[in-house]
Amino acid sequence: MKIGLPKALLYYYYAPLWKAFFDELNVKYIESSDTTSKTLLLGKEKSIDEACLALKIYLGHIRELKDKCDYILVPRIFSLKKTEQVCTNFNCIYDLVRNTFKDIKILNYNIDVKRHYTEKNAFIKIGKELGFSIIESRNAYKKAKEIEKTYYLQEEKKAKVALKTNKTKILLLGHPYILKDNLIGKSIINYLEKNNISIIYSCQIPRDLIEFNCSKISTKIHFTMNKEEVAAFNYFKDKVDGTIILTAFPCGPDSLANEMIIRKRKKHPTLLLTFEDLTNNTAVITRLESFLDMLKGGIHL
Amino acid sequence: MEASLGIDIGSISTKGVILDNDNNILASTYLWTEGNPIKAVKKVLKDLERQIDKDVKVTSVGTTGSARKLIGTMLGATSIKNEITAHAIGTLSKYPNIKTILEIGGQDSKIILLDNGIVTDYAMNTLCAAGTGSFLSSQAKRLGLNVEDFGKIALTSKNPTNIAARCTVFAESDLVHKIQMGYKRNDIIAGLCYSVASNYLNNVGKGKKIEGPIIFQGGVSKNIGVKKAFEDLLHEDIIVDENGHLMGAIGSAILARKTGIKKEFNFKVKDANFETSGIECKGCPNHCEIIVVKKDDKILDSWGNRCDKGALKVKEQ
């Protein structure tokens, strides 16, 4: 038996946890390959015009995996905290995939903390579907959680190292599935690295500082995943030279959170890059190049 | 005498200047790109060469604008810079105390904020080209007018019509509707100018602190109707320089000189045969489109590939 993990959307939040859980239970899994233009094309054919770029890419990954594995892991997340909500894409993605691809078997888990469906229960349910006992699944989940924790600690350390250099430092802010995607964020990262810039990612903020830092900018953000970005902005803004916000069009939660950041940034240099369909990136490069020129008061006679 | 050449190749128009070392304009030209940047630049070079004396030696070349890379490669430019930097430098050379630069070009619009001669913030239009020069010229065509006359006609209106400004498509249907309703033509044209200005301030200028002295440049600044609309909306005087359209080219000439690299430029380049072609690399599913520039059948440069596989592909050709 083989589980397929589409390398898009929630993969970039949960991959360490998922992989550790399956490793622990000795279940085989495969990941889809990095996003390419072809992935996007495959996804576009299956999505409606209202879907965001990231969702189109996700569907492309599902199509790639479809015939290569027995199950595809498609979680449904409704809420991760009692008073907060997540992007509607994560609410609907299970139903969306099931209705778009009739012939695939989905390994599903449901997290809805408002209605007491916790992450732990969700993993026990996966275990059950794959034929493991509650105790086996629970132990595997416990161990996977430890591994996830060390992963985030490593990420924090990476940020600390990136902040220590003498190079120009830029905070790259956005959902990890945008920042780390091979088609979207990678081109930006490559450009920045070529220009000798040290990059800090918004997802590298220490987990336990998110609530506090977010409240410094606003206490009323109710999108769980955007809290991380808003908090990262507050936490890193005095340590970096500038911030680049990447977002996919049309992202509902981002349109609120990014606006909040831009209004509260004061004099901190900030660039907002919106991605739609990517056929050429000259417009993006123009904006990036001028932003890098401007940092540290670089444009003057 | 040493001089530097700056070329700004926009989507609609191509601008070129030759500056001496004290930033005096020795020669300048301004013509339509007409969808063929290489041809436009050859024409620009021809025009500039005619205007300068024999003893002027061009020692540095800078390019800016959306075709800056292509033309920069073609001319062997020492500086290939984005429009923001070029415009800011060009404007500062003439107006060192400027605080805000409003710029509306053919397909993009930008705002640059400066403090004590240093750029502190800027913004460019994002996904769409609503409210830029191309919108005005397409509407002029619809009304059967020359876009150059728009400004004068707009000034005769006492009561500009309200036209939806958010999106070009909306604006267009609103415009058609207003024409059919029987609104006066000059009121509609003035309304269009207002919609361009308010669209700009709502989109590009959103949340920016616009302080005087303000300069307005780019092709649309030639339209006095839009200038007046900005003055009314911002309650500030707005400078429009007679060389406002050349600021990008002036900036890129200065930037080229500032690099310190001296390389004599030969105007004969305009007689060479340049060719561009696009090849699709099939090395991976990304299918990068690579642009190859050839001069007299020899490859000058290529770009557009995400990885090294693309470069190999060009060599094979």
Side-chain angles (χ1 to χ4, degrees), chain A residues 157-172:
Chain A
K157 265 186 207 148
K158 275 187 206 163
K160 272 181 196 149
V161 173
L163 284 169
K164 264 187 196 147
T165 57
N166 294 326
K167 295 193 247 177
T168 306
K169 294 176 271 280
I170 283 185
L171 169 65
L172 215 51

Side-chain angles (χ1 to χ4, degrees), chain B residues 82-118:
Chain B
N82 58 79
E83 298 93 309
I84 298 279
T85 312
H87 274 277
I89 299 282
T91 313
L92 279 171
S93 72
K94 197 159 178 192
Y95 298 94
N97 297 320
I98 208 80
K99 281 253 171 139
T100 309
I101 302 174
L102 313 176
E103 216 258 3
I104 306 185
Q107 64 167 340
D108 50 37
S109 46
K110 32 194 162 318
I111 184 168
I112 307 175
L113 304 181
L114 302 105
D115 189 21
N116 283 324
I118 296 171

Side-chain angles (χ1 to χ4, degrees), chain A residues 178-216:
Chain A
I178 301 289
L179 301 185
K180 292 182 180 169
D181 188 87
N182 194 42
L183 194 64
I184 313 174
K186 209 51 191 289
S187 59
I188 307 290
I189 293 170
N190 286 347
Y191 182 85
L192 292 176
E193 276 173 352
K194 223 165 52 190
N195 282 284
N196 200 20
I197 279 173
S198 162
I199 309 169
I200 294 97
Y201 301 89
S202 58
C203 47
Q204 288 173 333
I205 178 176
R207 299 288 104 185
D208 47 341
L209 297 177
I210 291 178
E211 282 297 324
F212 172 74
N213 279 287
C214 185
S215 70
K216 287 280 167 193

Side-chain angles (χ1 to χ4, degrees), chain B residues 1-4 19-21 26 53-59:
Chain B
M1 189 168 58
E2 281 185 0
S4 36
L19 296 185
D20 67 10
N21 284 348
L26 300 177
D53 298 330
K54 280 257 151 57
D55 64 325
V56 174
K57 276 200 177 65
V58 174
T59 52

Side-chain angles (χ1 to χ4, degrees), chain B residues 9-83:
Chain B
I9 317 101
S11 56
I12 304 280
S13 61
T14 302
K15 286 80 70 176
V17 288
I18 294 181
L19 296 185
D20 67 10
N21 284 348
D22 300 318
N23 297 343
N24 297 314
I25 298 174
L26 300 177
S28 73
T29 187
Y30 173 59
L31 43 87
W32 301 125
T33 310
E34 289 171 331
N36 192 342
I38 294 181
K39 206 171 137 197
V41 165
K42 283 183 177 174
K43 269 200 235 163
V44 163
L45 290 178
K46 205 169 156 190
D47 199 19
L48 290 175
E49 193 184 17
R50 200 171 42 78
Q51 292 177 42
I52 52 168
D53 298 330
K54 280 257 151 57
D55 64 325
V56 174
K57 276 200 177 65
V58 174
T59 52
S60 48
V61 180
T63 59
T64 185
S66 41
R68 59 180 182 277
K69 192 149 188 200
L70 173 66
I71 304 303
T73 311
M74 186 177 142
L75 303 181
T78 40
S79 146
I80 299 175
K81 270 282 173 198
N82 58 79
E83 298 93 309

Side-chain angles (χ1 to χ4, degrees), chain A residues 35-38 182-183 187 190 249 259 265 267 270-272 274-276 282 285-291 293-294 297-301, chain B residues 66 68 80-85 88-89 92-93 108 115 117-122 124-127 206 208 254 258 284-287 306:
Chain A
T35 313
T36 60
S37 331
K38 201 182 160 203
N182 194 42
L183 194 64
S187 59
N190 286 347
F249 182 84
E259 191 61 35
R265 72 194 164 113
K267 286 205 162 165
T270 309
L271 175 71
L272 173 66
T274 311
F275 286 87
E276 227 252 308
T282 35
I285 297 298
T286 299
R287 282 155 181 79
L288 269 180
E289 194 190 302
S290 37
F291 186 70
D293 275 0
M294 187 187 74
I299 309 181
H300 54 80
L301 263 189
Chain B
S66 41
R68 59 180 182 277
I80 299 175
K81 270 282 173 198
N82 58 79
E83 298 93 309
I84 298 279
T85 312
I89 299 282
L92 279 171
S93 72
D108 50 37
D115 189 21
I118 296 171
V119 175
T120 53
D121 200 1
Y122 77 93
M124 276 175 102
N125 58 339
T126 47
L127 285 171
K206 185 175 63 181
K208 300 262 183 281
I254 296 173
K258 265 172 62 173
C284 74
N286 260 329
H287 289 225
R306 284 162 204 258

Side-chain angles (χ1 to χ4, degrees), chain B residues 177-197:
Chain B
H177 180 68
K178 295 267 152 87
I179 295 172
Q180 306 298 62
M181 291 265 287
Y183 281 83
K184 270 194 189 163
R185 268 166 94 84
N186 59 348
D187 287 347
I188 289 175
I189 292 168
L192 270 179
C193 294
Y194 265 90
S195 91
V196 167

